[in-house]
């Protein structure tokens, strides 16, 4: 019931962090996995090699999720190599950039919009026609999809709230095809974007009832569950993996 054999998956931003953990686990459960990345070619190829060495199937495509044309081309390339169809789409690529209103730059605002919002929209709208009935779309939001619990995070928070809007709308649009669409909302997860070290991490841990950062694989476990046949009746939902931070 958790097995993903025969499924074709695309994970955006899969070279590092949460995306890489998702790609690994989906492949481990049997899916053929395409990942995209923008800069970390060596990391992406190392991950592909690791998956293949473990008996799985994976390949990497370079594509800036903040560039609509590159995104459309990457989806087309992924579909081509996956046999023309898709079962699982994980919209993970995202960036966080902080700054208070009036001081945060237009470039920062636009880049977050391009990757975190437009990237999710263009990836999904390019992929959806090729999704098989019973498919899965998993959008990686954030605890910032629910609240904006720190100052200086209005642009990031806005983009992650927008992910929820897309999730809810698509859950309704695609329900007739039994395609489910959900938002996974990580709390503080130890990645290069949010390192588990230093004063900032220590402060963040005081906000987490479980008292620690989560690990990327702990988010991937939920993603792989939502991707599986076991999760067929869960759609339009927002699910936190946050150590109780927003409890
Ligand atoms: P990382 O920065 O550790 O990894 C980001 C991944 O996305 C990398 O593989 C990176 O590849 C890729 N990526 C970044 N920008 C682009 C782009 N423009 N186009 C394509 N790929 C891109 O981030 P995390 O793993 O921490 O975050 C993953 C997701 O989880 C994001 O959406 C983030 O907002 C969300 N999240 C993370 C939390 C955390 O605490 N870590 C908390 C809540 C949400 P490359 O190096 O090649 O650019």
């Amino acid at each position: 019931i958790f097995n993903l054999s025969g499924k074709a998956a695309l994970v955006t931003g899969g070279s590092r962090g949460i995306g890489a953990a998702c790609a690994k686990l989906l492949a481990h459960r049997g899916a053929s996995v395409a990942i995209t990345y923008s800069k970390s070619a060596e990391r992406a190829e190392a991950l592909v090699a690791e998956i293949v060495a473990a008996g799985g199937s994976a390949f990497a495509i370079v594509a800036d999720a903040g560039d609509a044309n590159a995104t459309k081309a990457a989806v087309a390339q992924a579909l081509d190599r996956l046999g023309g169809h898709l079962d699982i789409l994980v919209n993970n690529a995202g960036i966080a950039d902080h700054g208070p209103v009036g001081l945060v730059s237009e470039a920062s605002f636009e880049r977050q919009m391009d990757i975190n919002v437009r990237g999710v929209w263009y990836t999904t709208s390019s992929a959806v026609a090729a999704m098989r009935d019973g498919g899965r779309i998993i959008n990686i939001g954030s605890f910032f999809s629910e609240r904006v619990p720190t100052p200086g995070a209005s642009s990031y928070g806005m983009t992650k709230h927008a992910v929820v809007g897309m999730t809810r709308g698509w859950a309704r649009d695609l329900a007739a095809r039994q395609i489910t669409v959900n938002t996974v909302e990580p709390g503080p997860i130890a990645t290069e974007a949010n390192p588990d070290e230093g004063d900032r991490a220590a402060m963040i841990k005081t906000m987490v009832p479980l008292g620690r950062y989560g690990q990327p694989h702990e988010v991937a476990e939920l993603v792989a569950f939502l991707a599986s046949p076991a999760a067929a009746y869960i759609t339009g939902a927002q699910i936190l993996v946050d150590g109780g931070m927003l409890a």
Side-chain angles (χ1 to χ4, degrees), residues 65-114:
D67 176 327
N69 289 329
T71 296
K72 291 180 203 173
V75 170
Q77 203 184 323
L79 288 172
D80 196 41
R81 289 184 63 179
L82 288 167
H85 58 257
L86 194 65
D87 301 291
I88 300 161
L89 170 61
V90 183
N91 282 306
N92 165 78
I95 57 164
D97 194 26
H98 296 295
V101 65
L103 295 177
V104 69
S105 72
E106 286 182 12
S108 165
F109 165 76
E110 294 292 352
R111 187 72 179 143
Q112 289 180 91
M113 282 293 289
D114 283 345

Side-chain angles (χ1 to χ4, degrees), residues 13 15-16 18 38-40 64-65 92 141 156 160 187 189 191 194:
S15 55
R16 301 182 279 115
I18 292 168
S38 65
K39 295 189 210 90
S40 310
D64 178 354
N92 165 78
Y156 180 67
K160 291 299 184 178
I189 306 298
T191 66
N194 191 0

Side-chain angles (χ1 to χ4, degrees), residues 119-131:
V120 175
W121 194 87
Y122 279 109
T123 303
T124 306
S125 54
S126 317
V128 77
M131 282 201 96

